[in-house]
Amino acid sequence: MNTAHVVVDSPIGPLTLVAQGDALSGLYMEDARHRPPEESFGVPGDPQSKPFAMAVEQLSAYFAGELTEFDLPLVLNGTSFQQRVWALLQEIPYGKTATYGEIAAALGKPSASRAVGLANGRNPICVIVPCHRVIGSTGDLTGYGGGLDRKRYLLDFERRTSLATANKSAGLP
């Protein structure tokens, strides 16, 4: 499979988008904990080609507060357990959070919160597969491969945007 990458700017710093064919297979923050080596990203890609152009358009709309659900072709390379966790991450609504324990319970493995945390940390497509929406059982922001400042930024951004949308729908300023 042909692998290519592009780097785009965002409010949380440069993001490296990686594609396998016409599907996005990676979205990595600069200096993220589990960022693969650069040589695994393939050749430099064309930002105007599929799926890069779609991803850039949707990320721009997300960071403008205009998009709450991504609709992109994704390839999530990982173990069966990781893929099940990543599928559940995509079900966490915009502006909301879930705990590691809640995800473990949804998997039918209530004692697997630590394993959920490890799978969450290995998510290859951050932001789009919203691993930032997972928090500790006490509501604390626990580890995040992109750093707690970025996690806090993303959660606060989504909460503010959700609140503004709700207020607008209710006719409030």
Side-chain angles (χ1 to χ4, degrees):
M1 181 64 60
N2 292 335
T3 304
H5 72 282
V6 299
V7 177
V8 298
D9 289 326
S10 82
I12 57 173
L15 300 173
T16 301
L17 305 174
V18 181
Q20 290 180 353
D22 286 339
L24 196 66
S25 62
L27 192 161
Y28 301 100
M29 296 176 194
E30 195 172 67
D31 69 11
R33 184 179 315 139
H34 297 292
R35 182 184 169 102
E38 297 289 326
E39 56 272 10
S40 71
F41 296 155
V43 299
D46 176 1
Q48 302 304 314
S49 70
K50 188 178 177 184
F52 297 127
M54 289 172 58
V56 168
E57 179 181 333
Q58 289 187 30
L59 285 165
S60 294
Y62 169 83
F63 284 116
E66 300 163 355
L67 180 83
T68 61
E69 289 185 38
F70 291 92
D71 180 24
L72 295 166
L74 305 177
V75 172
L76 292 160
N77 297 308
T79 67
S80 164
F81 181 79
Q82 288 171 330
Q83 289 182 9
R84 289 175 57 211
V85 169
W86 300 333
L88 287 174
L89 297 180
Q90 294 176 76
E91 294 178 16
I92 303 169
Y94 180 93
K96 304 290 183 188
T97 57
T99 67
Y100 296 98
E102 289 168 341
I103 293 172
L107 291 168
K109 299 180 178 288
S111 62
S113 3
R114 190 171 282 245
V116 166
L118 292 172
N120 195 52
R122 294 287 182 175
N123 171 19
I125 305 179
C126 69
V127 181
I128 292 171
V129 176
C131 52
H132 61 278
R133 295 181 189 154
V134 183
I135 60 173
S137 61
T138 61
D140 290 339
L141 300 187
T142 56
Y144 184 61
L148 289 180
D149 287 343
R150 286 183 179 132
K151 183 172 188 164
R152 188 173 296 107
Y153 174 89
L154 291 167
L155 291 174
D156 289 346
F157 170 75
E158 289 185 5
R159 283 189 192 115
R160 280 192 317 273
T161 304
S162 294
L163 182 60
T165 301
N167 286 344
K168 187 175 181 179
S169 295
L172 301 172

